[in-house]
Amino acid sequence: MNAISRGLLVFGVGVAGCLTSSSAFMLMRPTDSFSRTSREACGATREDATTDLKITIPPYLEEEDDKSYPSPLHSIYVKSIMSDEEAAKALELASSFASATGRWEQPDAERHQTYATCDFPVEDCEDLHSYLEDELAITDAIFEQLSENFGVEPSDLSYIDFFVAQYQAAGSGSGTTMDRLEAHRDGSLLSFTITLTPPESFSGGGTFFEGLKTGSGEKGDGVVRPSRAGDAVLHCGKLLHGAEVVTEGTRTVLVGFVDVGEWCTRRGSLSSACREWGRMDVAARRYQRQLEKATLLGKQSWSLNNERWLQKEDISQGRGRSYMKGVSPAFSSVKRRANFAFQRQRRLVAEDKLLRTILLPEDKREAPIPFDVGDITIL
């Protein structure tokens, strides 16, 4: 089912609003979701309605009487950051720079080795950087929103990366362009994406979240797609997410990976989640390896040959040599752990636990004390 709610499209998850269960959204009243207030940041004013929407990832960790859900990190926010005119100018500056440098013609594997995108850092384009920071004070506006919604002080936030990425429908551009980005987790605790291209100029696109998917198999299941340029999707970077395929036209976005001071986070939470995700990767790879072996041998089989570990004289004389061969299907436990539904559930349970635990309560955070050594005299 497709849902349209003044300023946002949410696909495959019932209706737009605050998700309170794994199967449905509650529709928020327009007065709850959107306010007709002017935007004062950077001196700019918008007379039209301001997008203000909150979507909550459903719980996957079953804990009775657990008051840790929902944590601030369970929520995805869609907020108006730029006006239509500001987004259009930023898009023009970014497009001119990319056309002159060819930065959108192929994914940049040096900057993003695992999940490369066609992008360039904002700081590489002096005109764009100056416009965003000097005229719009975009970082202040974004960090204020992240602070307000995720409960972290702006002074505890810093960029890991801030770049402009482009997605083109297959066959519509030159070079090795990209039309989507597979499911992944960011290196940052907080992330945001600001749409620069007017949504009516392309089809598809948006950000999908695995935790929002209903399993319906419908096109666009679990996708959050702002319906106007200048709106930002703010979320925890550790949510499993990706860029939905663009089927027509071009989608250009500002993307930011924002780090949170380590004094705000609980030690061990991320490493625990990573271990579980790693176990699932190993389980999937183990089963895939068995299937590859079975294909190579023509049937599901195993073999054991210890010749490679024996000394040559032992092999020639037959001492200690053994060779066994037979047919053995993959263990049921191996198949079960590689099953898509099992893997998805375990990954999302680990994700849910991380969202509940990684941020320390405000009274437990101790920012480092600045250390001033004063003047240094060399004798």
Side-chain angles (χ1 to χ4, degrees), residues 137-322:
I138 194 73
T139 294
D140 291 342
I142 285 288
F143 281 19
E144 180 181 348
Q145 288 289 345
L146 292 174
S147 173
E148 177 182 337
N149 293 289
F150 295 109
V152 182
E153 291 298 321
S155 57
D156 294 332
L157 303 175
S158 60
Y159 278 129
I160 293 179
D161 203 357
F162 187 29
F163 57 96
V164 190
Q166 186 180 83
Y167 300 90
Q168 293 185 7
S172 64
S174 58
T176 310
T177 58
M178 59 189 303
D179 60 1
R180 74 194 77 187
L181 187 60
E182 301 303 323
H184 63 282
R185 304 182 198 275
D186 297 334
S188 58
L189 186 58
L190 300 177
S191 301
F192 66 86
T193 301
I194 304 176
T195 302
L196 296 182
T197 310
E200 62 269 18
S201 66
F202 64 91
S203 297
T207 305
F208 69 82
F209 293 89
E210 187 63 38
L212 289 180
K213 290 186 176 181
T214 62
S216 65
E218 294 182 8
K219 184 177 181 180
D221 186 19
V223 178
V224 176
R225 183 183 302 146
S227 66
R228 60 169 299 277
D231 282 358
V233 177
L234 316 174
H235 61 91
C236 174
K238 302 308 178 186
L239 292 174
L240 188 59
H241 67 284
E244 183 72 0
V245 60
V246 173
T247 56
E248 291 183 15
T250 300
R251 172 180 176 246
T252 304
V253 291
L254 270 172
V255 181
F257 298 155
V258 181
D259 198 15
V260 176
E262 62 180 11
W263 52 90
C264 299
T265 60
R266 180 173 282 105
R267 183 174 298 179
S269 291
L270 181 57
S271 59
S272 177
C274 288
R275 281 195 297 271
E276 180 61 21
W277 296 330
R279 291 187 185 105
M280 292 299 97
D281 290 340
V282 170
R285 179 55 186 150
R286 180 181 179 185
Y287 183 59
Q288 181 61 34
R289 177 63 174 164
Q290 286 192 255
L291 291 180
E292 292 172 357
K293 281 287 188 180
T295 301
L296 181 64
L297 298 175
K299 56 184 177 180
Q300 291 195 14
S301 62
W302 54 267
S303 61
L304 172 65
N305 188 347
N306 67 345
E307 287 187 1
R308 59 184 298 184
W309 291 283
L310 297 176
Q311 296 184 12
K312 291 183 178 180
E313 56 271 20
D314 291 332
I315 296 175
S316 61
Q317 298 178 22
R319 294 196 302 265
R321 183 180 179 184
S322 65

Side-chain angles (χ1 to χ4, degrees), residues 61-69 356:
L61 180 65
E62 297 181 1
E63 295 286 344
E64 294 184 3
D65 300 324
D66 186 359
K67 298 180 180 180
S68 63
Y69 175 86
R356 301 180 191 221

